Amino acid sequence: MNRQTVMEIDKDAFFKNIENIKKLSGNKELMYIMKANSYGTYLNKHIDIIKDFKIIGVAIVKEAIELRQIGFKNEIFVLNQPYVEDIPNIIKYNITVGVSDITFIKELIKYNKRVNVHLELETGMGRTGVLENDLIDVVELLQNKNICVNGAYTHLSCPDSDSTFTENQISVFKKEITILRQYFDLKYIHLEASNGLLNYNVDFCNLVRVGILLYGYKSSNDTLNKIVLNPVAKLKSKICFIKEVAEHFSVSYGKTYITDRITKIATVGIGYADGIRRSLSNKGEVIIKNKKCKIIGTVCMDSFMVDVTGVNALVGDDVYIWDNDIITVDEIALELGTINYEILSTISDRVERIIV
């Protein structure tokens, strides 16, 4: 171990989540979304854990290459439209890619090498995807012996909040799938991600892209009413220094906190370079000896300070940033006005991940 700051990853919790997701998804194939280093958990780096997954989804070609380099042999799907510059590696590492850009497809054809693709359709996400009016032109372009269109997909933009809009997306997608089936033998048809799985049962689709649920965290406010989840990650550091200071003592950069009494201060060896937001300064909390303790002063690059007055805290004691019980990722996200996805995925690589 290189540091006393670690993210503890519970492998058993991960596999329990998979079992619960399978119960919900029925006979549909699961695409295990492991982009952004498996949402910050780094489970994608453990071939012994992922080797039997039939298909893994990632965001960029670089992530797919890293999976190949650790020995993952099954299908890897790149969700996002790649760049022309990615094509040599797509071919070299046998990567399946989502496509919707005509220029990219034309360049792919020029390589005269067999490549598996899923055609992405724009149904209302407003990001990437082929527009309905352009579908036939793209289909004609894909009529090439080296391009194997073995899937089609779209993204639901608000399946947890707008049923009318979502149902329209599903309707558009179904109509376009009917057209595509006249031209291609589609192995995979998919539009449901975590929230789609929880809120819709789209019978003409045969694959579900599961991301945040794999790691045991909510995809929306009512998630836990629909599935049992087991959070896999705990973020932990240790106290590296303790001092007692007098009243009217300033703490950290900018003197943003002044003590109003004799105060026992603990310095914790994790900071914003590790993913602890500076916006937690003077308002965040951590767990020491099973008690919540307030962050005081400005969060520094490599550390922050905590008021441990009245706590029997010692140098070397564990400090949990979140433990999924006393403090959860969702509570931190709410405090910061963001979502749990962002909190998890932005913990930096300076933090060692350990399987427990």
Side-chain angles (χ1 to χ4, degrees), residues 115-119 142 147-152 184-187:
V115 180
N116 292 325
V117 305
H118 293 195
L119 183 59
L142 290 169
I147 306 299
C148 178
V149 181
N150 65 356
F184 307 113
D185 182 16
L186 300 175
K187 179 181 178 182

Side-chain angles (χ1 to χ4, degrees), residues 259-275:
T259 61
D260 58 6
R261 53 173 164 74
I262 295 174
T263 305
K264 185 179 178 182
I265 300 174
T267 301
V268 182
I270 180 173
Y272 62 76
D274 303 295

Side-chain angles (χ1 to χ4, degrees), residues 4-98:
Q4 298 302 308
T5 294
V6 299
M7 185 184 286
E8 298 174 340
I9 306 300
D10 187 338
K11 179 176 68 173
D12 292 338
F14 180 66
F15 283 107
K16 286 177 184 176
N17 293 330
I18 290 174
E19 288 305 310
N20 290 336
I21 292 165
K22 285 180 177 179
K23 291 175 185 176
L24 202 61
S25 59
N27 294 325
K28 294 179 182 178
E29 192 70 51
L30 297 186
M31 180 188 291
Y32 299 86
I33 303 301
M34 309 201 88
K35 61 182 180 176
N37 281 317
S38 293
Y39 291 56
T41 67
Y42 283 33
L43 280 161
N44 58 306
K45 298 183 181 296
H46 294 270
I47 189 62
D48 58 316
I49 292 175
I50 66 173
K51 62 182 175 60
D52 295 326
F53 293 169
K54 188 172 181 180
I55 179 169
I56 288 177
V58 296
I60 57 178
V61 171
K62 181 178 183 292
E63 293 174 333
I65 293 172
E66 289 170 353
L67 285 171
R68 288 286 185 242
Q69 289 174 337
I70 68 166
F72 185 74
K73 300 184 183 303
N74 296 334
E75 188 168 1
I76 304 172
F77 176 65
V78 176
L79 285 155
N80 298 327
Q81 169 66 55
Y83 294 94
V84 168
E85 292 82 1
D86 290 322
I87 293 176
N89 279 327
I90 290 168
I91 295 168
K92 178 180 178 180
Y93 290 99
N94 186 27
I95 299 166
T96 303
V97 293

Side-chain angles (χ1 to χ4, degrees), residues 40-228:
T41 67
Y42 283 33
L43 280 161
N44 58 306
K45 298 183 181 296
H46 294 270
I47 189 62
D48 58 316
I49 292 175
I50 66 173
K51 62 182 175 60
D52 295 326
F53 293 169
K54 188 172 181 180
I55 179 169
I56 288 177
V58 296
I60 57 178
V61 171
K62 181 178 183 292
E63 293 174 333
I65 293 172
E66 289 170 353
L67 285 171
R68 288 286 185 242
Q69 289 174 337
I70 68 166
F72 185 74
K73 300 184 183 303
N74 296 334
E75 188 168 1
I76 304 172
F77 176 65
V78 176
L79 285 155
N80 298 327
Q81 169 66 55
Y83 294 94
V84 168
E85 292 82 1
D86 290 322
I87 293 176
N89 279 327
I90 290 168
I91 295 168
K92 178 180 178 180
Y93 290 99
N94 186 27
I95 299 166
T96 303
V97 293
V99 298
S100 56
D101 179 65
I102 290 177
T103 299
F104 177 86
I105 295 170
K106 288 179 178 178
E107 290 298 318
L108 195 61
I109 290 170
K110 288 180 183 179
Y111 276 78
N112 200 31
K113 298 287 186 179
R114 187 165 179 82
V115 180
N116 292 325
V117 305
H118 293 195
L119 183 59
E120 182 184 1
L121 305 175
E122 168 62 82
T123 61
M125 181 67 180
R127 191 166 61 187
T128 49
V130 176
L131 291 165
E132 188 173 5
N133 291 341
D134 297 327
L135 182 58
I136 295 303
D137 289 339
V138 174
V139 165
E140 290 177 357
L141 185 61
L142 290 169
Q143 300 293 299
N144 183 282
K145 62 183 178 65
N146 290 313
I147 306 299
C148 178
V149 181
N150 65 356
Y153 69 112
T154 194
H155 290 272
L156 300 177
S157 69
C158 43
D160 59 326
S161 59
D162 191 330
S163 60
T164 300
F165 189 83
T166 301
E167 286 163 6
N168 183 68
Q169 280 194 269
I170 294 170
S171 177
V172 171
F173 185 60
K174 185 175 184 179
K175 181 173 67 174
E176 294 182 341
I177 289 298
T178 301
I179 294 171
L180 291 178
R181 278 178 163 155
Q182 298 173 32
Y183 298 91
F184 307 113
D185 182 16
L186 300 175
K187 179 181 178 182
Y188 291 126
I189 299 169
H190 48 112
L191 58 69
E192 295 159 311
S194 291
N195 273 327
L197 171 63
L198 293 173
N199 294 291
Y200 294 88
N201 183 16
V202 184
D203 56 6
F204 66 90
C205 295
N206 62 359
L207 180 144
V208 178
R209 306 184 301 264
V210 286
I212 194 74
L213 299 183
L214 284 175
Y215 310 104
Y217 295 96
K218 298 191 300 183
S219 57
S220 60
N221 289 334
D222 64 347
T223 295
L224 298 182
N225 296 327
K226 301 172 182 177
I227 187 172
V228 175

